[in-house]
Amino acid sequence: MTEYITLALAGIAAVLSLVCVLIRPKQGATLRDLQNLSQELQEEMRALRTEVGGTIHGTLQSTAELQANAQRQVAEAQNTRLRELSEQLAVRQTALQKAVTDQLQFIEQRMKTGALESEQKLENIRTTMETRIAAMQADNGKRLDEMRHTVDEKLQKTLDEKLQQSFSRVSEQLESVYKGLGEMQTLATGVGDLKKVLSNVKTRGILGEIQLGAILEQILAPEQYAENVATVKGSSERVEYAVRLPGDGTSCVYLPIDAKFPIDAYNSLLDAYDTADAAQVEAAAKVLEQRIRQFAKDIHTVHPCA
């Protein structure tokens, strides 16, 4: 189409050039000649315009037809290509679907086979475990019976030995008890004799002094106490023992201890307790307290060590 338009423009340019040549005034030309020439030119221009218009119209129509044919060919080619692509895509989709279906069937078959194999393996494992557990239970039962039998024998033997030892020990202890009962009877007789001996005040005082001396000897050093200490300087009243205590820093002082005890007042208190008489118990306790206070008053004077 572009070529046809170029040719039309070239023709118009040639015609204009010819007109310019023709309308150039000639020497000796008359007015009538010019008018005739102008009329001829107009007719030629009209004829040329008509021809050029027809040519352009034909060219445009040819161009439109060519373009329509080209578009139709392109559309047909595209449709053909699309059909081919659709067919290829359908073929590929069918092949892909078949491949996926085959793969899924293969996987399903493998899963079924794996499930069967797993089930078979689990069944084998369960059977093996049951067999082993049954064997272990039987073996454990047998061992437990053996252990029970051994334990029963050891327990029976140990029990017999313990019973024999216990009976021997009980027999020995009963023999010791019988012997102790005899000694207690003898001791009771001796206690009665001792009670008779201690009923003498002087004898009881001597035994108290001996016992007090033994106690002080066990718990104090010899330089920590003294014997037969006078409670007042120059007095003949003495106590059996006196404990040396720190004084003012330059000398020590004596803490007198006497072995006297009012046993008769104490026995009266015990007799009052046996009677369960509160008034009598209170009276006996007061007498015992007064006697003890009197003894303490007799020895309470403290003086420096000699």
Side-chain angles (χ1 to χ4, degrees):
M1 181 179 178
T2 305
E3 295 177 354
Y4 290 116
I5 294 173
T6 304
L7 291 174
L9 293 176
I12 293 171
V15 171
L16 292 176
S17 299
L18 180 59
V19 170
C20 290
V21 172
L22 292 176
I23 64 173
R24 184 177 299 168
K26 298 181 179 179
Q27 293 180 0
T30 62
L31 181 61
R32 183 176 296 273
D33 293 334
L34 291 173
Q35 291 177 351
N36 292 331
L37 182 60
S38 175
Q39 186 175 1
E40 290 176 359
L41 287 175
Q42 288 179 357
E43 290 177 357
E44 289 179 2
M45 286 291 291
R46 189 178 300 109
L48 182 61
R49 188 181 299 112
T50 302
E51 185 179 357
V52 171
T55 303
I56 291 172
H57 178 70
T59 302
L60 291 175
Q61 187 175 1
S62 299
T63 302
E65 291 177 357
L66 290 174
Q67 187 175 3
N69 291 331
Q71 290 179 353
R72 186 168 51 255
Q73 291 177 358
V74 171
E76 289 177 357
Q78 289 179 352
N79 292 331
T80 304
R81 184 59 179 169
L82 287 174
R83 282 196 299 272
E84 292 176 356
L85 291 175
S86 298
E87 291 175 358
Q88 292 178 1
L89 183 60
V91 172
R92 291 182 181 181
Q93 185 175 1
T94 303
L96 180 61
Q97 185 174 2
K98 186 176 182 305
V100 170
T101 304
D102 295 340
Q103 190 68 23
L104 289 175
Q105 291 178 354
F106 177 73
I107 293 173
E108 184 178 2
Q109 186 65 30
R110 286 291 300 273
M111 290 178 66
K112 290 181 179 179
T113 305
L116 292 175
E117 292 178 355
S118 300
E119 186 176 357
Q120 185 65 33
K121 289 180 180 180
L122 289 174
E123 184 66 23
N124 295 334
I125 292 173
R126 186 178 64 81
T127 304
T128 305
M129 292 297 294
E130 289 179 352
T131 304
R132 291 183 179 180
I133 289 173
M136 290 175 63
Q137 288 178 348
D139 187 39
N140 290 336
K142 183 178 179 181
R143 290 185 179 181
L144 286 174
D145 291 336
E146 293 177 355
M147 292 173 63
R148 189 180 298 109
H149 182 67
T150 304
V151 170
D152 290 340
E153 289 181 353
K154 290 184 178 180
L155 285 176
Q156 187 64 35
K157 182 178 179 181
T158 304
L159 182 61
D160 293 338
E161 293 177 355
K162 293 292 183 181
L163 287 174
Q164 186 176 0
Q165 293 177 0
S166 298
F167 284 135
S168 300
R169 192 177 296 110
V170 168
S171 298
E172 293 176 358
Q173 290 179 355
L174 287 174
E175 185 178 355
S176 300
V177 168
Y178 291 146
K179 187 183 294 185
L181 288 174
E183 293 177 354
M184 287 179 66
Q185 291 176 356
T186 304
L187 181 61
T189 303
V191 168
D193 296 337
L194 180 61
K195 187 175 181 180
K196 291 179 182 179
V197 171
L198 293 178
S199 61
N200 189 341
V201 177
K202 186 175 182 181
T203 305
R204 188 168 64 245
I206 293 172
L207 290 176
E209 291 178 6
I210 295 172
Q211 197 170 13
L212 177 60
I215 293 172
L216 292 174
E217 185 179 359
Q218 290 178 1
I219 64 176
L220 297 176
E223 63 272 9
Q224 290 181 323
Y225 67 96
E227 299 181 8
N228 295 322
V229 178
T231 57
V232 180
K233 285 187 177 181
S235 174
S236 60
E237 296 294 332
R238 294 178 175 272
V239 293
E240 287 82 4
Y241 295 96
V243 179
R244 290 189 177 94
L245 297 176
D248 56 0
T250 58
S251 62
C252 64
V253 294
Y254 283 118
L255 174 62
I257 301 176
D258 198 353
K260 292 179 182 180
F261 185 76
I263 190 64
D264 51 349
Y266 179 71
N267 290 331
S268 298
L269 179 60
L270 294 179
D271 294 339
Y273 276 118
D274 292 336
T275 60
D277 187 353
Q280 189 176 353
V281 170
E282 185 177 0
K286 286 183 178 181
V287 172
L288 179 60
E289 183 181 359
Q290 290 174 359
R291 295 285 299 278
I292 293 175
R293 287 181 179 275
Q294 184 61 42
F295 289 158
K297 186 177 180 181
D298 295 338
I299 64 173
H300 83 285
T301 305
V302 179
H303 60 85
C305 299

